[in-house]
Amino acid sequence: MTGGPVRVLLAEDQGMMRGALALLLGMEDDIEVVAQVAAGDAILDAALAHRPDVALLDIELPGRSGLDAAADLRARLPECRVLILTTFGRPGYLRRAMEAGATGFLVKDGPVEELAAAIRRVLAGETVVDPALAAAALSAGPSPLTARESDALRASADGATVADIAARLHLSESTVRNYLSAAIGKTGTRNRMEALREARRQGWL
């Protein structure tokens, strides 16, 4: 860490929220927002251009999720700390964020002072996690879905047929049916659209 202000990249798709966060963080003497993006697929390019110390990422972004972008940053810019800031405090999201290399996870309804403190703490090498969410994640356990079951559910999100999913994933139709059936069973739902909704609600996808 240099003696200058903490350089922050902010990724948030809602313009008003992004502007408010940038304004509030900019009022801190030791924090400077050096880049703002509205889409997940713009995060890596902006980070490589501006070299932030901390990337503050929403999860649900157009183009690429904040969780996928966190993994990109870990691979290409490992010195940049990632702090996930989300509306959705889902245990599955927390687990996936940590697997992607994030060092912080907060929900958006906290005070800005808490966010500024979290930015400083992750830069100092600490891991900062919303306490209630950490407890929920521990009790919830990992996702029961295998990687392939998750892929099959994601591929069905736009109403794709089994044949469409099979072509997309380079699998046989019977294999896709097996994966979807397993996912429906594990989520305790009646069909693949319900399974998809439940898996998203839990933060497994």
Side-chain angles (χ1 to χ4, degrees):
M1 181 178 171
T2 64
V6 182
R7 295 167 60 79
V8 174
L9 178 148
L10 184 56
E12 163 64 58
D13 62 329
Q14 296 177 17
M16 191 177 290
M17 171 70 79
R18 189 171 64 251
L21 280 171
L23 190 66
L24 289 166
L25 289 174
M27 293 169 74
E28 301 287 326
D29 292 339
D30 59 341
I31 294 175
E32 180 186 2
V33 177
V34 295
Q36 299 180 45
V37 298
D41 46 13
I43 291 170
L44 183 60
D45 285 347
L48 291 171
H50 295 278
R51 301 280 164 171
D53 301 306
V54 177
L56 190 58
L57 311 181
D58 192 7
I59 290 180
E60 299 195 349
L61 293 165
R64 193 159 177 74
S65 82
L67 298 177
D68 290 333
D72 296 340
L73 289 172
R74 179 174 60 178
R76 298 286 304 280
L77 202 67
E79 65 273 20
C80 176
R81 308 280 182 184
V82 174
L83 182 58
I84 298 289
L85 184 65
T86 181
T87 308
F88 305 104
R90 295 171 182 162
Y93 276 170
L94 171 59
R95 192 175 290 272
R96 286 170 59 207
M98 294 302 157
E99 287 169 357
T103 50
F105 195 108
L106 296 174
V107 287
K108 286 181 184 172
D109 57 4
V112 72
E113 294 82 12
E114 194 176 289
L115 177 58
I119 289 171
R120 297 182 189 106
R121 286 172 62 192
V122 296
L123 192 62
E126 293 182 48
T127 297
V128 182
V129 177
D130 181 89
L133 192 58
L138 286 172
S139 62
S143 168
L145 302 174
T146 66
R148 276 316 215 174
E149 288 161 4
S150 298
D151 289 343
L153 273 186
R154 280 194 201 94
S156 68
D158 56 1
T161 65
V162 168
D164 293 336
I165 297 167
R168 208 173 288 174
L169 299 180
H170 308 292
L171 298 169
S172 70
E173 291 184 30
S174 62
T175 301
V176 168
R177 286 194 188 92
N178 288 340
Y179 285 144
L180 290 173
S181 177
I184 290 164
K186 288 177 179 178
T187 52
T189 52
R190 294 172 299 180
N191 57 54
R192 59 180 158 148
M193 295 318 290
E194 284 187 9
L196 178 66
R197 277 196 296 273
E198 178 61 16
R200 282 181 168 165
R201 190 183 71 79
Q202 293 286 352
W204 296 334
L205 294 182

